[in-house]
């Protein structure tokens, strides 16, 4: 049975999970920041989709930018992006310096379990992308049933799709082999009749469902139910023999589908059909063969022509630009990776391949040109040679990319894949290949008409060996570009090479220098960002960015303004006459997701009479908190951007603070509090370059905003806005692990649980009932360290209500009570030291609190080690410990390290007597607050001493 292949284009919809950031303390005075990772909902994903690591880089961008600021200010010593851990390591001595990284994200010590959770989240992204990556070509399956069913599975991930009538409600029921319900969901098919069901990623829990072999998938459309059993499939692709063989259900029709190679830009697909024998074995020889760079898909059909499929990976090596390998070997076997220089290994690492044969790691040493990377395991040995990229140039005038990888790479295939991001409201892709010349040179010519290289275009550059093993010479290649961002007081962009220092110089229209700042370009993509906080950008300014030998110039910063008018649902402003601007509005909807950001679009408009304006139409209904960015491309191909937030008012009920945005920067704002027809407080402000304003209402002294009050905001050019303060409360219920309160009837309420001692908060969306009561259940809500949220564990609730226009009122619940003095007080000096007779539970009830403990060493314990430790530290505790001699003043040992938070002294006495231990908070903020507690323990061989010590 011959099936015609068709191309299925898939497009990515990235929905950011509301995720918190965790700062894990490092042993040498630093922190590791786990990155909030976007997990895509894979409706459709385009060819050349980025990897999970690329999404990690994307998600880390804002924090990396802020860390660059902190380093420039001398507040952190340095930082490094860790792709394998999906984290950022920061060299810093004071955690206070990390408060500014994100407005809402926490600082929290985590253990290896937390890091593992972050990596699992990153794996979730890779699962989705890998599935999408392989759907570039799939069989057009005859629709023998209505609906038809196609099931994809891969480890702990999978999805279901198929065909039915257009615009038809479709229900899926997934049951395991025993008939136990695993999942149910309902969607409406597209106008083409296609439908799809995807699982949701749950932080720290994994996917909420996924199909497994033996499961039954029942899909009902237009009242017609159809069932299919998920077939078990295993297969081994052998590129050397050009054979794919494996095992599945006996007597099934099996189709192997794939591309012959990924080294070129063409799909040279194949399809081979066989039938599994009575034992379930199948084997297919692929006409023309295939190499290691591709992964065949195996489809197994039931008697109704419904299918189960998955992908299988040939043994292969994929190197990064430092020579670190990842790839696939046989599943679940021991392997060793070796970096060989000359005849000898200079570095190795070992491990076990995963369920699907995946492996990866780091040598801890950068490979050199000509080094060989060898992977051995499961009776297989594969290897490839490492190359370095030299003399890379991007010629926009000739639409050409050139470089050199050395003569050892002669005759190797090279491929570059380019794409145009949506900064210009256009998306375009192109791919080009070349065979490396004898001297190692290569050149990619795009021809202008096919793909006109523009500044900011990005792509990837890969070299393949003759077997299909690959090396990413440049994971992200960006055509050099400068973007001037006045609303953030910075100049950013991408440089032609990574790891070099660039200096940005801002000059006024007369050539006078207004400011300078430098940055080191990113080792990943050459990105840089420089700041100009003390000066403002003015029309006619000149911007030069240079590394000393190469310079990019924005010769004249134009007049460019943006105004997002939510009332009129328009974006307008001033710009250079005749220019075409890209306008991107972004939408915030509190009722749609915890994070709130739900949609963005892209419009273009031509500036006429120095002004522009677009009606956003029915596709985008602007309201408070939404914002729009306008981008202008200069004659040199660089960009200047402007941003405007819709007019926004945020009010702190129970406090005195009001803040928000005006659409235009530099707007004078007057905020008043009214109660019973009388003004009770006021403040004035001028919005910043980003349009933000804030202040505290006062009437000689601070006032408290209460239910029934009205806050009015008068801003130049905007009608006076009045916001009535509704009933809004938030109270903790630790017994039920809930936060409950009052809010406007049937309103969406965003409820957060904050730990002030860790700066961590996480939350959920809930809705008030018809009487205005709401309950937020925190069972199953996890921090990024995968610890379940616990209401009342040094937490403080916060509830936020958004009105129909998007403005908000929020209220904080009661703060956690400060820690009480422990039962050993007073013990603040050595003369008050409490004799140790077993585990002591202490608290730091004051910043100056020091707890003194004494213990006596008997004759039989002389010469035997003592283990003095602080354990079971509360959320806010970080201890220092000092051991003193019998005279109470001679210091024998101490542990005053910044990290870990707990203290330990291992000490061996050489004489009998009573010794003293002083335990104190490491920092002032490790005292007083809830969670400033610890246990003190003296151990012998890691065993607690008995209640009564010998020798006393």
């Amino acid at each position: 049975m011959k099936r015609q292949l068709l191309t299925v284009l898939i497009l990515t919809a990235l929905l950011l999970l509301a995720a918190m950031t965790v700062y894990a303390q490092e042993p040498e005075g630093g922190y590791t920041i786990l990155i909030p990772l976007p997990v895509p909902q894979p409706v459709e994903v385009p060819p050349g989709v980025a990897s999970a690591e690329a999404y990690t880089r994307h998600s880390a961008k804002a924090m990396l930018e802020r860390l660059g600021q902190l380093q420039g200010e001398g507040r952190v010593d340095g930082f490094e992006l860790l792709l394998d851990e999906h984290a950022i390591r920061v060299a810093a001595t004071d955690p206070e310096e990390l408060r500014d990284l994100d407005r809402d994200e926490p600082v929290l010590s985590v253990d290896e379990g937390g890091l593992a959770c972050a990596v699992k989240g990153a794996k979730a992204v890779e699962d989705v992308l890998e599935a999408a990556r392989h759907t570039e070509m799939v069989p057009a399956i005859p629709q023998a049933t209505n609906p038809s069913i196609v099931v994809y599975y891969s480890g702990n991930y999978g999805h279901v799709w198929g065909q039915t009538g257009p615009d038809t409600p479709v229900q899926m029921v997934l049951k395991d082999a025993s008939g136990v319900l695993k999942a149910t969901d309902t969607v409406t098919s597209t106008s083409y009749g296609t439908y799809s069901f995807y699982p949701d990623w749950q932080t720290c829990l994994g996917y909420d469902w996924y199909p497994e072999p033996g499961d039954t998938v029942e899909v009902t459309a237009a009242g017609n139910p159809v069932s299919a059993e998920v077939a078990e499939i295993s297969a081994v692709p052998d590129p050397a023999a050009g054979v794919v063989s494996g095992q599945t259900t006996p007597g099934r029709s099996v189709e192997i589908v794939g591309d012959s190679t990924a080294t070129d830009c063409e799909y040279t697909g194949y399809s081979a059909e066989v039938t599994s024998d009575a034992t379930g074995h199948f084997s297919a020889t692929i006409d023309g063969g295939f190499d290691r760079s591709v992964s065949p898909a195996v489809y197994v059909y039931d008697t109704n022509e419904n299918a189960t499929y998955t992908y299988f990976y040939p043994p292969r090596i994929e190197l990064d630009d430092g020579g670190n390998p990842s790839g696939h070997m046989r599943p679940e076997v021991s392997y060793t990776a070796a970096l060989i220089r000359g005849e000898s290994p200079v570095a190795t690492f070992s491990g076990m391949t995963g369920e699907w044969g995946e492996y990866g790691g780091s040598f801890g040493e950068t490979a050199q040109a000509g080094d060989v990377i060898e992977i051995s395991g499961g009776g297989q040995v594969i290897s490839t040679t490492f190359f370095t990229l030299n003399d890379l140039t991007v010629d926009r005038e000739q639409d050409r990319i050139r470089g050199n990888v050395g003569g050892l790479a002669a005759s190797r295939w090279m491929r570059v894949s380019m794409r145009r991001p949506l900064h210009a409201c256009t998306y375009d892709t192109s791919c080009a290949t070349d065979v490396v010349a004898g001297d190692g040179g290569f050149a990619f010519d795009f021809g202008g008409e096919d793909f006109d290289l523009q500044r900011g275009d990005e792509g990837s550059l890969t070299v393949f060996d003759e077997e299909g093993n690959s090396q990413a010479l440049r994971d992200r290649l960006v055509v050099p570009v400068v973007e001037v961002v006045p609303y953030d007081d910075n100049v950013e962009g991408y440089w032609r090479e990574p790891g070099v220092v660039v200096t940005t110089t801002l000059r006024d229209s007369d050539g006078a220098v207004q400011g300078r700042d430098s940055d080191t370009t990113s080792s990943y993509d050459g990105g840089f960002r420089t700041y100009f906080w003390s000066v403002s950008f003015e029309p006619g300014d000149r911007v030069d960015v240079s590394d000393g030998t190469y310079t990019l110039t924005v010769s004249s910063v134009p007049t460019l303004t943006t105004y997002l008018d939510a009332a009129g649902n328009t974006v307008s402003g001033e710009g250079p006459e005749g220019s075409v601007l890209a306008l991107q509005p972004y939408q915030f909807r509190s009722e749609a997701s915890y994070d709130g950001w739900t949609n963005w679009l892209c419009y273009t408009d031509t500036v006429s009479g120095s002004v522009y304006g677009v009606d956003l139409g029915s596709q985008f209904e602007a309201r408070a908190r939404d914002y729009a960015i306008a981008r202008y491309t200069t004659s040199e191909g660089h960009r200047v951007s402007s941003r405007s937030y819709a007019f926004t008012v945020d009010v702190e009920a129970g406090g005195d603070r009001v803040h928000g945005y005006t659409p235009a920067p530099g707007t004078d704002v007057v905020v008043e509090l009214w109660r019973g027809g009388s003004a009770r407080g006021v403040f004035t402000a001028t919005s910043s370059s980003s349009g933000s304003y804030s202040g505290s209402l006062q009437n000689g002294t601070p006032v408290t905003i209460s239910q029934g009050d009205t806050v009015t905001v008068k801003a130049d050019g905007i009608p006076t806005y009045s916001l009535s303060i509704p009933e809004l409360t938030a109270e903790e219920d630790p017994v039920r692990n809930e936060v409950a309160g009052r809010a406007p009837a049937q309103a969406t309420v965003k409820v957060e649980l904050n730990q002030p001692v860790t700066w961590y908060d996480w939350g959920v969306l809930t809705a008030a009932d018809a009487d205005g009561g709401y309950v937020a259940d925190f069972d199953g809500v996890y921090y990024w360290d995968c610890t379940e949220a616990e209401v009342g564990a040094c937490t403080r609730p916060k509830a936020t209500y958004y009105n129909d226009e998007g403005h908000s009122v929020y209220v904080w619940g009661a703060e956690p009570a400060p820690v009480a003095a422990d039962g050993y007080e007073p013990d603040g000096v050595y003369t008050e030291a409490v004799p140790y007779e077993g585990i002591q539970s202490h608290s730091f009830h004051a910043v100056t609190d020091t707890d003194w403990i004494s213990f006596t060493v008997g004759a039989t314990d002389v010469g035997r080690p003592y283990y003095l430790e602080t354990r079971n530290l509360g959320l806010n505790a970080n201890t220092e410990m000092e051991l003193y001699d019998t005279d109470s003043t001679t210091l024998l040992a101490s542990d005053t390290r910044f990290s870990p938070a707990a203290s330990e002294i291992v000490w061996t006495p050489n004489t009998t007597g009573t010794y003293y231990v002083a335990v104190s908070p490491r920092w002032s903020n490790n005292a007083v607050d809830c969670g400033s507690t610890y246990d003190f323990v003296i151990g012998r061989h890691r065993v607690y001493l008995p209640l009564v010590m010998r020798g006393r």
Side-chain angles (χ1 to χ4, degrees):
M1 177 174 52
K2 183 70 175 176
R3 296 182 178 86
Q4 183 180 1
L5 295 179
L6 59 86
T7 302
V8 178
L9 274 183
I10 297 188
L11 180 72
T12 299
L14 285 179
L15 298 178
L16 290 179
L17 288 179
M20 295 296 103
T21 309
V22 176
Y23 303 82
Q25 290 188 352
E26 288 294 306
E28 297 182 356
Y31 281 89
T32 295
I33 307 170
L34 306 186
I35 299 164
L37 196 66
V39 178
Q41 297 289 342
V43 181
E44 303 175 358
V45 182
V49 68
S51 65
E53 288 81 1
Y55 280 117
T56 299
R57 294 182 179 102
H58 173 80
S59 305
K61 182 178 179 182
M63 282 189 287
L64 292 173
E65 292 168 350
R66 183 58 183 142
L67 283 166
Q69 293 178 331
L70 297 179
Q71 185 178 18
E73 298 167 13
R75 296 164 63 183
V76 300
D77 298 326
F79 55 92
E80 175 186 10
L81 180 62
L82 308 176
L83 289 177
D84 290 338
E85 292 84 356
H86 308 280
I88 307 171
R89 180 164 293 138
V90 183
T93 56
D94 187 350
E96 293 288 328
E97 301 296 358
L98 302 180
R99 279 183 181 268
D100 294 337
L101 277 178
D102 301 279
R103 183 181 63 192
D104 296 322
E105 282 74 357
V107 174
L108 184 69
S109 297
V110 298
D111 55 17
E112 292 181 357
L115 291 170
C117 176
V119 174
K120 284 175 64 179
K123 178 61 167 61
V125 177
E126 187 60 43
D127 289 338
V128 176
L129 298 178
E130 186 70 10
R133 194 179 292 130
H134 290 304
T135 54
E136 185 180 15
M137 287 289 188
V138 298
I141 300 171
Q143 188 177 344
T145 63
N146 183 8
S148 64
I149 300 175
V150 183
V151 180
Y152 168 77
Y153 78 90
S154 175
N156 295 334
Y157 175 71
H159 56 259
V160 177
W161 59 279
Q163 186 81 25
T164 186
D167 303 315
T168 302
V170 183
Q171 181 187 50
M172 179 204 71
V173 176
L174 177 66
K175 297 180 180 179
D176 68 14
S178 302
V180 177
L181 180 67
K182 294 177 66 174
T184 182
D185 198 2
T186 301
V187 298
T188 299
S189 65
T190 68
S191 59
Y192 300 102
T194 59
Y195 71 86
S196 58
F197 295 95
Y198 292 94
D200 290 325
W201 174 257
Q202 298 174 310
T203 302
C204 301
L205 297 178
Y207 292 107
D208 57 351
W209 63 268
Y210 52 88
E212 298 175 276
D215 288 352
T216 297
V217 178
E218 181 179 279
V219 178
T220 301
N224 185 39
V226 176
S227 294
E229 181 179 322
V230 180
E232 184 164 8
I233 313 172
S234 63
V236 177
D238 183 351
V243 172
V244 178
S245 58
Q247 197 78 19
T248 188
T249 306
R252 291 289 184 91
S253 176
V254 179
E255 184 174 19
I256 294 92
V257 178
D259 192 0
S260 59
T261 182
T263 62
D264 57 25
C265 295
E266 302 297 327
Y267 182 84
T268 52
Y270 58 80
S271 174
E273 299 178 35
V274 295
T275 300
S276 59
D277 63 21
T279 67
H281 178 75
F282 65 87
S283 181
T285 300
I286 308 303
D287 291 341
F290 58 95
D291 65 21
R292 299 187 188 280
S293 66
V294 292
S295 304
V298 178
Y299 286 77
V300 175
Y301 298 91
D302 64 16
T303 56
N304 291 324
E305 295 295 327
N306 292 315
T308 301
Y309 76 103
T310 190
Y311 293 85
F312 295 92
Y313 306 89
R316 67 177 171 224
I317 300 173
E318 299 170 351
L319 301 180
D320 66 15
D321 57 6
N324 297 307
S326 60
H328 290 82
M329 295 287 280
R330 287 178 178 162
E332 299 176 334
V333 300
S334 299
Y335 74 91
T336 298
L339 174 63
I340 301 170
R341 188 166 299 151
E343 300 295 327
S344 303
V346 295
T348 63
F349 66 84
S350 301
M352 288 285 295
T353 60
E355 178 184 2
W356 296 83
E358 65 274 15
Y359 71 86
S362 174
F363 288 121
E365 178 167 335
T366 301
Q368 299 178 8
D371 286 352
V372 173
I373 288 79
E374 180 182 272
I375 313 295
S376 58
Q380 297 175 306
V381 179
I382 56 177
S383 63
T384 192
T385 303
F386 179 80
F387 304 104
T388 54
L389 177 62
N390 305 300
D391 304 324
L392 181 67
T393 60
V394 178
D395 187 340
R396 290 192 305 122
E397 301 300 325
Q398 300 296 321
D399 292 309
R400 179 178 299 166
I401 298 175
R402 293 182 175 181
N404 192 288
V405 288
L408 286 174
S411 301
R412 299 286 177 95
W413 275 97
M414 293 198 62
R415 185 190 68 201
V416 64
S417 299
M418 298 298 296
R419 58 190 173 273
R420 177 153 303 132
L422 286 169
H423 60 260
C425 294
T426 59
Y427 183 82
D428 196 7
T429 63
S430 186
C431 179
T433 60
D434 191 27
V435 176
V436 179
D439 63 354
F442 63 87
F444 300 106
D445 293 299
F446 290 93
E449 295 181 1
D450 177 48
F451 190 84
D452 180 18
L453 283 176
Q454 297 178 14
R455 295 198 181 278
D457 289 347
E458 58 187 52
S460 58
L461 184 61
T462 308
V463 61
F464 297 87
D465 67 15
E466 61 276 3
E467 294 182 337
N469 298 307
S470 63
Q471 178 185 335
L473 293 169
R474 187 68 68 82
D475 228 4
R476 188 167 184 228
L477 170 66
V478 184
V479 181
V481 64
V482 172
E483 181 161 359
V484 181
V485 190
Y487 58 84
D488 271 346
D489 304 314
N490 70 61
V491 174
E492 61 188 43
Y494 295 94
W495 207 243
R496 63 178 183 175
E497 59 182 311
V500 300
V501 176
V502 296
T503 298
T504 301
T505 303
L506 175 65
R507 293 181 170 85
D508 65 18
S509 56
D510 294 327
V513 174
Q514 302 298 298
R516 282 193 175 95
D517 191 32
S518 298
D519 190 23
T520 300
T521 60
S522 164
S523 60
Y524 164 55
D525 57 11
F528 67 90
R529 175 169 285 195
T530 50
Y531 294 90
F532 297 87
W533 291 301
S534 59
V535 297
S536 60
F537 293 87
E538 301 294 341
D541 285 354
R542 174 189 174 102
V543 175
D544 294 300
V545 185
S546 178
D547 61 9
T549 59
Y550 176 68
T551 301
L552 294 178
T553 298
V554 177
S555 57
S556 180
V557 175
T559 296
L560 183 64
T561 64
T562 308
Y563 195 101
L564 175 57
D565 181 2
N569 204 41
T570 60
V571 177
S572 60
E574 297 179 274
E577 180 65 26
S579 63
V580 177
L581 304 181
L583 308 173
Q584 294 173 305
Y586 293 78
Q587 201 168 58
F588 180 93
R589 295 296 178 264
S590 59
E591 68 276 9
S593 69
Y594 176 82
D595 179 73
W597 296 108
T598 59
N599 186 31
W600 67 275
L601 297 173
C602 200
Y603 303 76
T604 59
D605 195 39
T606 301
V607 178
S608 177
S610 299
V611 297
Y612 68 91
V614 297
D615 187 324
L616 299 178
S618 59
Q619 295 185 75
F620 193 103
E621 296 180 2
R623 69 182 194 185
R625 213 169 310 280
D626 295 347
Y627 69 91
I629 293 178
R631 285 191 173 91
Y632 162 70
T633 300
T634 71
S635 59
E636 303 100 343
H638 302 296
R639 301 194 291 260
V640 179
S641 61
S642 172
R643 183 183 67 191
S644 171
Y645 276 90
F647 175 65
T648 303
V649 178
D650 299 315
V651 178
E652 181 188 10
D656 61 5
R657 189 164 180 258
V658 179
H659 52 97
Y661 290 94
T662 62
T667 300
D668 291 331
V669 178
V670 178
V671 181
E672 294 177 318
L673 176 67
W674 292 82
R675 182 178 302 157
S678 301
R680 297 299 182 93
V682 65
F683 77 82
T684 61
T686 300
S687 60
S688 68
S689 60
S690 64
S692 64
Y693 68 89
S694 65
S696 296
L697 290 161
Q698 295 193 15
N699 186 9
T701 59
V703 298
T704 300
I705 303 169
S706 305
Q707 178 186 348
D709 290 348
T710 298
V711 172
T712 64
V713 181
K714 303 174 184 178
D716 290 349
I718 299 172
T720 298
Y721 184 78
S722 297
L723 180 60
S724 297
I725 308 304
E727 181 181 19
L728 188 63
T729 62
E731 298 181 2
E732 293 185 330
D733 185 343
V735 174
R736 292 184 172 85
N737 204 35
E738 296 173 346
V739 173
R742 304 281 302 169
Q746 298 180 327
T748 298
V749 184
K750 177 180 177 180
V751 184
E752 299 168 77
L753 195 63
N754 176 266
Q755 283 183 330
V757 298
T758 60
W759 313 311
Y760 192 96
D761 76 1
W762 186 230
V764 296
L765 288 179
T766 188
D769 59 25
D771 294 326
Y774 74 84
V775 175
D777 186 354
F778 280 82
D779 284 343
V781 178
Y782 290 85
Y783 298 123
W784 258 105
D785 69 343
C786 294
T787 299
E788 192 169 4
E790 184 179 352
V791 175
C794 296
T795 55
R796 186 185 188 191
K798 178 186 177 183
T800 303
Y801 154 72
Y802 298 92
N803 68 10
D804 292 340
E805 296 163 298
H807 305 288
S808 77
V809 179
Y810 62 94
V811 67
W812 286 96
E815 292 191 42
V819 69
D822 60 59
Y824 297 98
E825 297 291 345
D827 59 355
V829 294
Y830 86 92
T831 56
E832 298 172 337
V834 177
Y836 183 85
E837 295 183 350
I839 298 174
Q840 295 185 0
S841 296
H842 285 268
S843 66
F844 295 131
H845 67 283
V847 171
T848 56
D849 188 10
T850 297
D851 298 323
W852 282 81
I853 304 107
S854 65
F855 66 97
T856 300
V857 175
T860 57
D861 289 326
V862 172
R864 300 177 61 188
Y866 278 64
Y867 297 89
L868 289 70
E869 302 176 5
T870 58
R871 294 186 175 186
N872 302 324
L873 272 62
L875 289 170
N876 194 45
N878 194 322
T879 61
E880 292 184 340
M881 184 163 58
E882 297 174 323
L883 172 64
Y884 289 92
D885 207 340
T886 55
D887 61 3
S888 75
T889 58
T890 301
L891 183 65
L892 299 177
S894 66
D895 181 358
T896 58
R897 293 173 297 171
F898 173 78
S899 179
S903 301
E904 179 186 52
I905 293 175
V906 181
W907 168 76
T908 301
N910 55 21
T911 185
T912 62
T914 298
Y915 295 84
Y916 299 89
V917 177
V919 183
S920 56
R922 186 155 291 155
W923 306 99
S924 61
N925 59 5
N926 297 132
V928 181
D929 290 325
C930 173
S932 303
T933 58
Y934 69 94
D935 289 343
F936 175 76
V937 178
I938 298 178
R940 305 298 301 277
H941 303 290
R942 304 298 181 188
V943 178
Y944 296 155
L945 285 176
L947 290 179
V948 178
M949 295 176 59
R950 291 176 293 170
R952 293 197 60 208

